[in-house]
Amino acid sequence: MGAGASDLAGMELGKVARAGLGELPDLCAAEVLLHLDAPDICRLARLNLAFRGAAAADFVWEAKLPKNYSYLLGFVAGAEEGERSDMGKKDIYARLAKPVPFDDGKREFWLEKSTGSISMALSSKALVITGIDDRRYWVQMPTTESRFHSVAFLQQIWWFEVVGEVDFCFPAGTYSLYFRLHLGKSSTRFGRRICSSERIHGWDRKPVRFQFSTSDGQHALSQCYLDEPGSWILYHVGDFVASNSEQPIKLKFSLAQIDCTHTKGGLCVDSVLIYPKGFEPERVIRAQK
């Protein structure tokens, strides 16, 4: 009898628990969601009816958005000011979580769903590359391995230099800047990826130099040898802090190997990437200071 009473008590407790969760007020459910990141909010809303309505609440998603989301939304093509004001905060989050291209598609940024921070990518076409218009030195090579669908491939050059700049209101936080590079020319044959290294030369003679500076006085200088063909690698240039999301910060950065005693070649330049510090979706090499 004791066991039966215990089982019955357990069943009743289960009913109460299930009923309580199912009847949880939207405001209480929304308070719970405030402590979760965006992917977890969406998963919980799909799994449990009690959280489905709360997951659409504006104050939940506004807490996940960067403070300068109105500025970021201004880059969205076709979104007029009146139209933007009619968007719910969940819709704004969803739109900013997709790539937002600007500068004629040569640059784009997006909201990292897991952190709510901004990442940015600049294609090789957004960079100033010495000799880029001379096909003796460089060619634009189509590829599926770039988010911009093409990379700049260096055949041979004496003076190697790539420079660029960004002027942008980054949400407050610490960011890392990388060059995405690949030694050798990759292609696909019979469904398999292959890499040709026949044009790779000159990178073992001298290291390449990375540097960047910001409009508020931050800077970094480092160097390393390029010696790992066959893989895309993020070469870490340095970190910077954006302290005010309403104030634009101007970044200038470069990659160079300008020793003209020898030529160098066989390098693919894809993009410059800016990620929240600690977010590293690909293999990273940290240059020596």
Side-chain angles (χ1 to χ4, degrees):
M1 183 173 178
S6 177
D7 290 343
L8 183 60
M11 291 172 63
E12 291 299 325
L13 181 61
K15 289 179 181 177
V16 171
R18 287 194 294 273
L21 187 60
E23 297 170 5
L24 192 66
D26 282 355
L27 185 59
C28 295
E31 289 290 344
V32 173
L33 298 181
L34 283 173
H35 298 280
L36 304 178
D37 59 28
D40 285 339
I41 291 173
C42 294
R43 280 193 287 268
L44 191 56
R46 287 195 300 268
L47 292 173
N48 193 288
L49 186 62
F51 292 97
R52 194 165 300 165
D58 269 359
F59 79 91
V60 170
W61 290 99
E62 187 158 17
K64 307 303 176 184
L65 284 164
K67 293 187 181 300
N68 65 341
Y69 69 84
S70 294
Y71 163 81
L72 300 173
L73 196 60
F75 287 87
V76 176
E80 300 296 333
E81 185 174 351
E83 182 182 344
R84 294 198 298 268
S85 63
D86 292 336
M87 295 176 69
K89 299 302 187 293
K90 181 180 180 181
D91 295 329
I92 292 174
Y93 195 101
R95 180 60 193 92
L96 293 179
K98 300 176 183 178
V100 179
F102 62 106
D103 189 20
D104 295 325
K106 293 181 288 189
R107 307 166 189 243
E108 62 185 35
F109 69 85
W110 62 95
L111 198 65
E112 293 293 349
K113 296 177 183 178
S114 58
T115 64
S117 300
I118 287 293
S119 293
M120 181 178 289
L122 291 76
S123 77
S124 60
K125 294 179 180 179
L127 308 175
V128 178
I129 302 176
T130 301
I132 190 63
D133 295 323
D134 193 327
R135 290 182 61 85
R136 293 175 299 174
Y137 306 133
W138 292 90
V139 294
Q140 286 291 335
M141 189 174 70
T143 177
T144 59
E145 297 183 356
S146 168
R147 66 186 305 118
F148 296 101
H149 309 296
S150 72
V151 298
F153 177 70
L154 174 62
Q155 302 189 101
Q156 179 172 284
I157 206 166
W158 294 87
W159 184 288
F160 172 71
E161 188 172 27
V162 180
V163 300
E165 61 180 48
V166 172
D167 195 352
F168 195 78
C169 291
F170 287 92
T174 304
Y175 297 84
S176 299
L177 188 144
Y178 306 89
F179 275 90
R180 187 173 189 256
L181 308 174
H182 184 289
L183 273 178
K185 182 188 291 187
S186 65
S187 60
T188 302
R189 183 176 298 173
F190 304 117
R192 297 184 61 186
R193 184 183 189 272
I194 59 173
C195 181
S196 171
S197 59
E198 60 179 312
R199 287 186 176 270
I200 301 175
H201 68 282
W203 305 109
D204 57 343
R205 301 279 295 276
K206 295 276 186 172
V208 297
R209 185 186 65 207
F210 301 92
Q211 60 181 338
F212 85 83
S213 62
T214 70
S215 52
D216 59 358
Q218 303 175 69
H219 57 87
L221 175 64
S222 57
Q223 61 181 16
C224 75
Y225 287 90
L226 306 183
D227 59 2
E228 297 191 35
S231 300
W232 286 106
I233 295 175
L234 300 181
Y235 288 87
H236 180 242
V237 182
D239 301 331
F240 67 93
V241 176
S243 56
N244 186 346
S245 60
E246 304 300 326
Q247 183 71 34
I249 185 169
K250 189 169 187 176
L251 304 169
K252 293 185 176 181
F253 43 85
S254 66
L255 161 64
Q257 210 279 46
I258 55 178
D259 183 346
C260 292
T261 61
H262 64 283
T263 62
K264 35 265 173 188
L267 178 70
C268 290
V269 177
D270 173 38
S271 56
V272 168
L273 293 159
I274 299 172
Y275 286 132
K277 185 176 181 180
F279 182 76
E280 298 178 353
E282 295 182 276
R283 187 179 172 209
V284 170
I285 287 183
R286 301 185 182 280
Q288 297 180 348
K289 298 181 179 180

